[in-house]
Amino acid sequence: MAFPLQQLEQHINDDFLLLGEQLFERGEVEALRELERHLWAAQVEQTYEVELKITPSRVDLTSCECPSFMTHGECAHVAATLLALRKHIQQNTSARIEEPKKPTTQRLTTRSVLKNIEEEELKEFVRQYASRDRNFALALKARFAATVSFSNDKSKYQQVLDETIRASRKKDRSISYRGMQTLIKVSDELLLQAENALVQGYFRTVVLIAQSVIEKLTPILRKMAQYQDSARSRIGKSFKMMHEVLGLQPPPELVEELWEYASAESQKVTYRINEIVPQFYRLLSKMSLQLDEAEDLLHLLEAARLQAQFSDRNYTALLIHKIEALEQLDRLEEVNTVIRTNQQNGDLLLHVLNKAMKRGDASWAKQVADEMLAQDIPNAIRKQIEDVRLHIAEEEADDKTIQQYAYNRLLATYKIRYFDILKQGQAEDWETMRDSLIVAIGQQPYSPDRRDIIATIYVKENLWENLLNYLKDTKSLDLLSKFTKPLLPTYKKQVYGIYELLFSNYLSNHFGRTAAKRVGEKIIFLRRIGAHTIAEKLLRHVRKTYSDRASLMDELSIL
């Protein structure tokens, strides 16, 4: 496939082009050279050799050693090399252009051009440029859409987004990477206009732009690939702006219109599929306070529950807002019924507990937490509820309960703060409890966190001899490195002995360049923390003991 080098973006697959741009920008194209007239070669990622035949500014042939090129006849390495070659040719061409003999001190700037150009000339230029460059036309429409009067103002924002989406689609209806980038940029421009409108008090404009972004981005979320999170962020920002409008006392008719809008949109399948429904429920819940519509919100939520299947996340959101509406109506017995009926819904129960704690109702939260912990609930939820219950016990100075849940949480998380809570509440026979706790931790399944917490407890308790023995038994160079510094002032000789032992164990079972580098890194670490004597002694020991290990000697030679 032959094509002009200057137009390579139009002839290379978008996926390969995007990856190629990243390789080129990271400087992964090296040793670009002309092997013979019109035949160029380069090394990409220090691995693949790429060759290009250019005659003279047209790409005639390409090749690469990578599997992707073997399969598709294209790859990111070829794209990156073409970008590098084009830049190289452009730079050489520019260097050959004769410089003016009398350089001027004046500079041609955008400001100076705009200051001197006639308005009609500028408009004509913009019209012509917009007709040739679709991205420029989209940016222009997004930036100035608010200034154009429409009988239905919302449609102008929707048109901008619709046109951007159409321009972003490939033949198979998927969205190209460049199209995704453009869509995010256009959305950002519209949301910037919404922010400006919010500052100026144009609340209806804010709402219309926010609704347009939500309505147009949601249906294509699943086609946005790695840009899906970016699109969700813009949808979330749109909802946030509508919440901000509601907090600024907008006209009552606008609030009523927004209520009708959210009520209708929240029922649509696309919002349920893409997990946007909870954001509509939050909006409706906030408006129900302003409009005294808690009863209507209840009816709406119940109708939604009966009409459609919900994901766990959407159903939890529905229940949360149902509880809030019932609380507004002071129907607390029904609140308790919803909670008891959904005791297996951990996210709901955690929300209820946290809300009770925020409003200072620790007594009610305690009752609900104890009921939940008596049930067979998922372990992940149990852990979080135990945290809430521990917090309540601390507020009530209930030492027995503090001990119970701090102990459970320490064994579950290996976080030292739970150890501190345990020690603070254990006035008598602390040493016995501490030692039994260390034994209990040691009986848990191995993990780096379990390994580290035991060493941390020894340091906290100044049990240095225990720590030395533990470091020797665990045979972990990484753990030894973490706790070397506090041991140095008093136990330098013992620390050296453990390092020598662990180096010997490690090098007996590991060979090659990787093992050599790791030993070198540990010696550098010891120098960095001021343990020069230990570092030099270890260096001499390793050189003497493992002199036949070429890669190890090479690595140590640079230390």
Side-chain angles (χ1 to χ4, degrees), residues 402-412 422 433 436-437 440:
I402 289 173
Q403 295 289 311
Q404 175 188 349
Y405 288 111
Y407 186 91
N408 291 348
R409 299 303 294 132
L410 179 60
L411 290 181
L422 270 174
M433 181 179 183
S436 66
L437 177 63

Side-chain angles (χ1 to χ4, degrees), residues 256-276:
E256 290 176 1
E257 289 175 19
L258 190 50
W259 171 272
E260 295 299 327
Y261 169 80
S263 299
E265 293 294 304
S266 65
Q267 309 301 309
K268 293 183 178 179
V269 173
T270 186
Y271 298 116
R272 289 204 303 275
I273 292 174
N274 290 291
E275 303 287 351
I276 304 299

Side-chain angles (χ1 to χ4, degrees), residues 287-480:
M287 286 187 288
S288 71
L289 289 170
Q290 296 184 13
L291 299 174
D292 195 22
E293 295 279 13
E295 194 71 54
D296 284 352
L297 178 58
L298 276 177
H299 290 313
L300 177 69
L301 295 173
E302 183 61 18
R305 186 184 70 82
L306 295 173
Q307 290 173 9
Q309 292 292 322
F310 283 87
S311 67
D312 290 343
R313 183 170 181 266
N314 284 342
Y315 189 64
T316 298
L318 184 148
L319 293 174
I320 286 171
H321 294 291
K322 181 176 182 178
I323 287 173
E324 290 177 351
L326 289 169
E327 287 175 340
Q328 287 180 41
L329 297 169
D330 202 28
R331 289 155 58 174
L332 301 183
E333 187 56 42
E334 291 180 60
V335 170
N336 291 331
T337 299
V338 173
I339 294 171
R340 291 193 183 95
T341 305
N342 295 277
Q343 283 187 343
Q344 293 300 310
N345 190 324
D347 291 330
L348 171 67
L349 299 179
L350 281 172
H351 172 84
V352 170
L353 280 177
N354 289 326
K355 190 173 179 183
M357 294 296 291
K358 285 180 182 178
R359 68 172 181 256
D361 195 351
S363 176
W364 187 83
K366 175 181 175 181
Q367 176 187 340
V368 173
D370 287 340
E371 289 179 4
M372 291 163 60
L373 291 170
Q375 305 293 322
D376 182 19
I377 57 177
N379 195 44
I381 300 299
R382 178 175 293 278
K383 291 176 181 178
Q384 295 180 68
I385 296 172
E386 284 182 348
D387 257 340
V388 175
R389 190 63 184 86
L390 175 59
H391 179 66
I392 295 171
E394 288 182 285
E395 287 192 346
E396 295 179 343
D398 181 353
D399 289 340
K400 183 177 179 181
T401 306
I402 289 173
Q403 295 289 311
Q404 175 188 349
Y405 288 111
Y407 186 91
N408 291 348
R409 299 303 294 132
L410 179 60
L411 290 181
T413 67
Y414 303 129
K415 291 182 178 177
I416 197 63
R417 74 181 185 90
Y418 295 115
F419 176 83
D420 294 335
I421 292 171
L422 270 174
K423 185 174 182 178
Q424 186 177 1
Q426 182 72 18
E428 299 179 1
D429 203 13
W430 163 245
E431 292 183 1
T432 301
M433 181 179 183
R434 176 199 65 204
D435 293 344
S436 66
L437 177 63
I438 292 173
V439 171
I441 294 172
Q443 292 172 344
Q444 301 295 309
Y446 175 81
S447 72
D449 289 339
R450 189 215 71 176
R451 177 199 68 189
D452 291 1
I453 190 64
I454 294 176
T456 304
I457 290 173
Y458 285 141
V459 173
K460 281 258 183 184
E461 295 293 290
N462 295 315
L463 298 173
W464 302 109
E465 295 290 343
N466 299 63
L467 177 61
L468 287 166
N469 291 329
Y470 182 67
L471 293 173
K472 190 183 299 183
D473 292 340
T474 56
K475 298 181 176 61
S476 169
L477 279 169
D478 290 336
L479 185 65
L480 178 58

Side-chain angles (χ1 to χ4, degrees), residues 103-367:
T104 177
T105 57
Q106 291 181 315
R107 292 180 61 227
L108 185 64
T109 65
T110 302
R111 177 178 292 183
S112 64
V113 169
L114 291 175
K115 183 177 179 180
N116 289 278
I117 197 171
E118 294 292 335
E119 182 179 343
E120 285 305 316
E121 286 184 87
L122 178 59
K123 287 182 178 179
E124 181 58 28
F125 169 78
V126 170
R127 278 192 290 269
Q128 291 182 8
Y129 194 71
S131 67
R132 295 195 304 270
D133 191 306
R134 179 179 283 173
N135 286 340
F136 175 76
L138 291 171
L140 180 71
K141 293 174 184 178
R143 176 64 180 85
F144 296 103
T147 65
V148 181
S149 296
F150 268 48
S151 57
N152 176 4
D153 276 343
K154 187 175 179 177
S155 67
K156 62 189 178 187
Y157 304 117
Q158 292 179 325
Q159 284 180 30
V160 172
L161 290 165
D162 280 336
E163 186 176 343
T164 306
I165 293 168
R166 282 196 300 272
S168 303
R169 291 191 186 278
K170 299 179 182 179
K171 291 181 179 179
D172 62 359
R173 304 293 291 166
S174 63
I175 299 176
S176 68
Y177 288 116
R178 289 183 178 278
M180 294 177 201
Q181 292 173 328
T182 302
L183 183 54
I184 294 300
K185 288 178 181 177
V186 169
S187 299
D188 283 343
E189 180 59 47
L190 289 176
L191 290 171
L192 179 61
Q193 303 309 310
E195 287 178 357
N196 294 335
L198 185 65
V199 172
Q200 298 173 50
Y202 300 145
F203 298 142
R204 185 175 296 280
T205 298
V206 178
V207 169
L208 295 179
I209 292 175
Q211 290 175 353
S212 299
V213 171
I214 292 167
E215 291 172 32
K216 297 302 177 181
L217 292 190
T218 299
I220 60 171
L221 274 175
R222 298 193 174 193
K223 297 180 180 180
M224 292 289 282
Q226 73 266 37
Y227 279 92
Q228 184 175 145
D229 288 343
S230 297
R232 285 188 180 278
S233 172
R234 274 63 182 181
I235 292 170
K237 187 173 182 180
S238 299
F239 277 101
K240 183 181 178 183
M241 285 186 172
M242 289 193 286
H243 278 281
E244 290 177 1
V245 167
L246 291 173
L248 294 172
Q249 298 182 329
E253 60 271 19
L254 180 59
V255 180
E256 290 176 1
E257 289 175 19
L258 190 50
W259 171 272
E260 295 299 327
Y261 169 80
S263 299
E265 293 294 304
S266 65
Q267 309 301 309
K268 293 183 178 179
V269 173
T270 186
Y271 298 116
R272 289 204 303 275
I273 292 174
N274 290 291
E275 303 287 351
I276 304 299
V277 165
Q279 301 198 59
F280 279 112
Y281 289 159
R282 279 193 288 276
L283 196 63
L284 287 164
S285 185
K286 186 167 187 173
M287 286 187 288
S288 71
L289 289 170
Q290 296 184 13
L291 299 174
D292 195 22
E293 295 279 13
E295 194 71 54
D296 284 352
L297 178 58
L298 276 177
H299 290 313
L300 177 69
L301 295 173
E302 183 61 18
R305 186 184 70 82
L306 295 173
Q307 290 173 9
Q309 292 292 322
F310 283 87
S311 67
D312 290 343
R313 183 170 181 266
N314 284 342
Y315 189 64
T316 298
L318 184 148
L319 293 174
I320 286 171
H321 294 291
K322 181 176 182 178
I323 287 173
E324 290 177 351
L326 289 169
E327 287 175 340
Q328 287 180 41
L329 297 169
D330 202 28
R331 289 155 58 174
L332 301 183
E333 187 56 42
E334 291 180 60
V335 170
N336 291 331
T337 299
V338 173
I339 294 171
R340 291 193 183 95
T341 305
N342 295 277
Q343 283 187 343
Q344 293 300 310
N345 190 324
D347 291 330
L348 171 67
L349 299 179
L350 281 172
H351 172 84
V352 170
L353 280 177
N354 289 326
K355 190 173 179 183
M357 294 296 291
K358 285 180 182 178
R359 68 172 181 256
D361 195 351
S363 176
W364 187 83
K366 175 181 175 181
Q367 176 187 340

